[in-house]
Amino acid sequence: MTSSPVERHAEGAVDQAGDAVFEWRRGSPSLLVHRGGQTTTYPAAQDRALWGAGVLSDGRALADWQADHRECGPAAASRLLGPFAAVLWDAVRRNFVLVRDRAGTYGIHWMRRGDVLLLSPSLDSLLPDSGGMPVPDVTAAARHLHGIAPPPGSTFVDGIAAVEPATVVEVDVERIRATRYWTLEPTARLRLATDLDYAEALRALLDDIVPQYASPGRAGITLSGGLDSTTVAAILASRASTELEAVSWSAPDVPTADEADRSSLVAERLGIPMRRVRADRWLPWSSAVTAGRAAAWRPYGLFAELLDATFVQLARSGLEVAFTGVPGDPLFGNSINPAPDLLLTRQWRRMRTELEAQARIFGLSRATALRRRLIGPIAHTYVRTWARGRAATPDPIAWLADGLRAEWPDLARQPSPAPRQVLLPGRRDRFRDLVHPFQTHTLENLTRHAHSHGIDLRHPLSDHRLVEFAACLPTEQATYQGVDKHVVRLAMQPLLPSAIVDRPWKTVQTDLMHAGLRGPGRRSVVELATDMALAAAGVVDEARFRRVCDDYLAGRHDELAFCHTLALEEWIRERW
């Protein structure tokens, strides 16, 4: 069994049959595999490795893992590193064995229909088999509108389940057994002497892990002016045998979203050739040509056209492998407040400096900063009666259907990824960010979208060894004097331009989204707010949403929940 992703990536590309549907009927002597309008029959009396991706994308690796699973059970998956997923058939137990990597890079979905069990890496491939008109999962839809991922194991379609990350599922037409082979556990806070020591520890880990995701030859990287993708680019350029080429976005017509100058600085410093995609020409709903692929990604982002153009550019350049900096924000620390942790660990001077910096950045008085940034977070963490009265559940959006408003606290409840032990307030927030299911959905949809263009998209920063390191970091290594990602800034100083490392904030691309929805996508916005499928499903109140829509188009608000609603509405309309 391999010890690093690089060996298996070299032996076989990501499986190109990711839209196949695997079928077994109770008592049947045969398995059916539906792919591209063709059906292949296999004897159910024989073990079979049906599909694999990532580390398990070639036949030998799949066969090795199937043998290990037969001997060791679900624990065999813990020996694999990197991204992977597989669908196996166990002839002795007459069940499917499904496995997914720790980050959830590749998806696997399944459903029962009477005596028939159906599985596919693609949710869309199961929709024609769902029995009549698919029914939206109301809980998943309502949560999505508020920026909350569906409950673990759920999808946007009622009756179709998803394998959770870091899980082996053994399923037949009667029963299911799900076994987690890895769970992120909060460990003791790492204690090193200086900030530089933490940075050196992170740099050593990056130098070890990131090159394991590379393979010899040419590869692309989606390069921005932020720290995440530039960190991956710098490590690959300095340590891997990959010939790296960058694709970056420019947006001269939307200057607040334009990172061309900064990405150019990075490419020049690292000696990487770079191609540009005009992001301001691929705004949301700006092109009918890419509508099909856009809808495949849409529920989790409104940049589908731009991503499509990016993957087209990579493919036209003859690149089959590309890297991203996802999910750098939760990994390196984004918008984490270290002040309570500094107080509770008796770092008085650093706490005072941190509070003063936050008060200045957020325009708070000293009293307000103390209340909001120090006393409140501590009370929320340790005083149970206070926490119950101020649960971290967002208020329901104004256009949520009346029938769901009373149920909203239960619908929004997270099946707690909270650690079993009591952590410092900032570390608790960091831990929740690291295990948030939205990261999984982002990785899966990005990877599948790239795959539709023949691109094997790799995300080294999602590696569980980096996540485990991040989980034990003190909070002050995430944020220092109000500036995020302190530890990675120190770690990357020798490799990246100071204009990148010292830049306090990254460019946020939401201005591109708003420019698209209020510009070329305006007609689509109005159409999506009329005769809504989400209203028919009892998820939104259409009249209230239309008023919010009018206000949005007039520039009176920029609510992301409004954009989430449009994205899901289009996704549902594309499918039923």
Side-chain angles (χ1 to χ4, degrees):
M1 192 59 58
T2 183
S3 61
S4 76
V6 66
E7 300 170 41
R8 295 308 183 195
H9 277 308
E11 291 175 10
V14 175
D15 192 298
Q16 296 299 308
D19 294 329
V21 175
F22 310 104
E23 176 182 343
W24 184 63
R25 183 180 297 274
R26 181 180 6 219
S28 172
S30 302
L31 293 172
L32 303 180
V33 180
H34 309 287
R35 178 184 294 130
Q38 304 292 320
T39 298
T40 305
T41 302
Y42 297 107
Q46 296 178 6
D47 285 352
R48 184 165 295 275
L50 294 166
W51 175 82
V55 174
L56 298 178
S57 62
D58 65 276
R60 183 161 65 85
L62 268 173
D64 288 348
W65 188 78
Q66 189 167 27
D68 272 14
H69 179 266
R70 172 76 72 190
E71 179 180 349
C72 305
S78 64
R79 304 176 187 177
L80 294 169
L81 301 179
F84 59 87
V87 176
L88 311 175
W89 172 253
D90 186 324
V92 174
R93 296 180 177 87
R94 291 296 173 106
N95 64 16
F96 288 100
V97 179
L98 320 174
V99 60
R100 197 173 180 198
D101 67 61
R102 299 165 182 83
T105 311
Y106 306 99
I108 306 177
H109 307 85
W110 59 276
M111 62 179 292
R112 292 190 182 104
R113 194 183 63 195
D115 288 341
V116 177
L117 184 64
L118 298 152
L119 306 95
S120 179
S122 166
L123 173 63
D124 284 353
S125 295
L126 291 179
L127 290 180
D129 296 300
S130 58
M133 184 72 72
V135 177
D137 184 295
V138 172
T139 298
R143 288 164 64 97
H144 178 79
L145 305 190
H146 295 78
I148 306 173
S154 300
T155 69
F156 289 117
V157 184
D158 189 39
I160 299 181
V163 178
E164 295 183 47
T167 300
V168 175
V169 173
E170 298 165 290
V171 59
D172 59 29
V173 292
E174 293 180 340
R175 63 188 67 85
I176 175 174
R177 185 177 76 165
T179 306
R180 290 192 69 87
Y181 60 85
W182 176 83
T183 301
L184 181 64
E185 295 286 354
T187 56
R189 184 168 60 98
L190 185 63
R191 297 173 185 269
L192 300 178
T194 67
D195 286 6
L196 188 58
D197 290 334
Y198 289 105
E200 289 175 350
L202 173 60
R203 174 66 188 278
L205 203 57
L206 290 168
D207 284 345
D208 178 41
I209 291 172
V210 173
Q212 293 180 25
Y213 283 73
S215 47
R218 299 169 62 224
I221 183 162
T222 55
L223 189 66
S224 71
L227 279 168
D228 307 334
S229 62
T230 57
T231 292
V232 174
I235 299 295
L236 288 173
S238 65
R239 300 190 65 86
S241 58
T242 300
E243 183 183 339
L244 209 57
E245 301 176 29
V247 172
S248 182
W249 296 348
S250 65
D253 291 346
V254 187
T256 54
D258 191 2
E259 292 195 286
D261 291 344
R262 295 180 182 89
S263 57
S264 293
L265 281 174
V266 176
E268 183 178 350
R269 172 70 174 267
L270 301 179
I272 300 173
M274 185 169 63
R275 295 178 174 84
R276 293 206 183 281
V277 173
R278 279 289 300 270
D280 47 12
R281 293 179 181 172
W282 296 97
L283 300 172
W285 287 296
S286 62
S287 171
V289 177
T290 59
R293 285 200 180 99
W297 163 256
R298 188 76 77 190
Y300 294 99
L302 285 153
F303 299 102
E305 289 87 352
L306 178 52
L307 289 167
D308 207 56
T310 302
F311 298 139
V312 166
Q313 178 67 69
L314 289 166
R316 286 177 178 171
S317 301
L319 299 170
E320 297 179 352
V321 174
F323 297 89
T324 77
V326 178
D329 281 350
L331 183 70
F332 296 138
N334 189 49
S335 301
I336 296 295
N337 173 21
D341 294 20
L342 293 170
L343 173 67
L344 296 170
T345 55
R346 302 181 180 182
Q347 299 180 67
W348 320 115
R349 182 175 299 176
R350 193 158 179 171
M351 179 206 71
R352 178 178 177 179
T353 302
E354 189 64 43
L355 273 180
E356 290 173 349
Q358 292 186 30
R360 182 175 64 254
I361 291 168
F362 297 111
L364 305 176
S365 67
R366 179 176 297 180
T368 302
L370 283 169
R371 185 174 68 253
R372 292 184 184 176
R373 309 295 293 176
L374 194 65
I375 299 171
I378 293 173
H380 183 80
T381 301
Y382 298 118
V383 183
R384 293 186 177 181
T385 54
W386 192 96
R388 278 200 298 268
R390 294 163 173 80
T393 300
D395 292 332
I397 53 176
W399 56 93
L400 188 68
D402 290 338
L404 296 179
R405 299 185 77 80
E407 303 175 42
W408 176 242
D410 291 330
L411 295 177
R413 184 174 294 121
Q414 301 281 44
S416 179
R420 299 170 190 167
Q421 65 190 74
V422 177
L423 296 179
L424 295 168
R427 284 197 69 204
R428 185 181 181 87
D429 290 343
R430 285 272 284 139
F431 188 88
R432 285 174 165 162
D433 283 352
L434 288 168
V435 299
H436 198 289
F438 184 79
Q439 312 304 331
T440 292
H441 292 285
T442 300
L443 286 171
E444 178 187 345
N445 282 276
L446 270 174
T447 304
R448 174 164 287 279
H449 194 160
H451 186 200
S452 71
H453 291 280
I455 303 294
D456 175 5
L457 200 62
R458 303 178 187 176
H459 318 280
L461 299 186
S462 69
D463 191 278
H464 75 284
R465 292 165 291 181
L466 285 168
V467 174
E468 288 172 344
F469 176 81
C472 69
L473 277 177
T475 315
E476 62 267 20
Q477 295 305 314
T479 303
Y480 178 67
Q481 294 192 10
V483 179
D484 295 334
K485 306 183 181 179
H486 176 58
V487 66
V488 75
R489 293 177 192 275
L490 289 179
M492 299 310 296
Q493 271 184 345
L495 295 183
L496 292 174
S498 58
I500 302 299
V501 173
D502 298 336
R503 181 185 177 200
W505 316 112
K506 68 177 183 179
T507 300
V508 179
Q509 304 297 334
T510 51
D511 285 351
L512 284 172
M513 178 178 67
H514 298 312
L517 298 183
R518 292 181 178 125
R522 189 182 187 93
R523 173 180 287 185
S524 295
V525 169
V526 174
E527 290 174 353
L528 289 169
T530 305
D531 296 327
M532 298 180 70
L534 285 171
V539 179
V540 305
D541 181 295
E542 186 172 320
R544 291 201 292 263
F545 185 73
R546 282 301 301 269
R547 291 194 290 272
V548 172
C549 179
D550 292 342
D551 287 344
Y552 176 84
L553 293 176
R556 288 191 282 270
H557 73 81
D558 289 334
E559 281 195 58
L560 286 178
F562 170 79
C563 303
H564 291 318
T565 306
L566 291 175
L568 185 57
E569 175 69 18
E570 187 202 34
W571 188 88
I572 291 175
R573 290 191 188 191
E574 284 275 337
R575 284 152 179 78
W576 59 81

